[in-house]
Amino acid sequence: MGEAVKVVAKNSKAYHDYFVEEKFEAGIELAGTEVKSIRLGNVNLKDSFCIIKEGQLSVLGMHISPYEKGNIFNKDPRRPRRLLMHRREILRLSGYSLITLSVYFKGPRVKLELGLAKGKKLYDKRESSAKRDAKREIDRAMKTRNR
């Protein structure tokens, strides 16, 4: 049986601003108080992204609010955090735009889902918005028709 997955935070803006080509899973190196804060849902992925520097993958811009009961053990909320992946996977990802999609618990471990991304132009955003609205209208019409 698979481990239980509990999604804590999603980066909903990622799908609006980027075409996500492929998704990957990585572990995160965290302090104890950061894990407790994530368990409470105090994490924000807006404007966060991943970089590869000296063969190591890191996430930047991810905000984990300080744990209230953590006092001196709290870390900087926006500090860069190292991601844990196999070296060959990291080498394969180099040269691409990497954005964070979600943070979740897989069993007792905190995992981060990253996406290989390609930026959307303004007209792409309008097009996806128009498609979404059209689908909503069709679904609404089908629902009233089937009554």
Side-chain angles (χ1 to χ4, degrees), residues 118-136:
K118 199 168 89 175
K120 281 187 182 179
K121 302 278 187 252
L122 184 60
Y123 57 85
D124 290 328
K125 292 178 189 177
R126 285 190 192 129
E127 187 179 313
S128 23
S129 174
K131 281 182 185 174
R132 188 176 57 246
D133 293 344
K135 185 183 180 322
R136 196 177 295 134

Side-chain angles (χ1 to χ4, degrees), residues 56-68:
Q56 293 195 353
L57 188 61
S58 297
V59 63
L60 301 174
M62 184 168 105
H63 187 278
I64 299 176
S65 300
Y67 184 59
E68 290 94 41

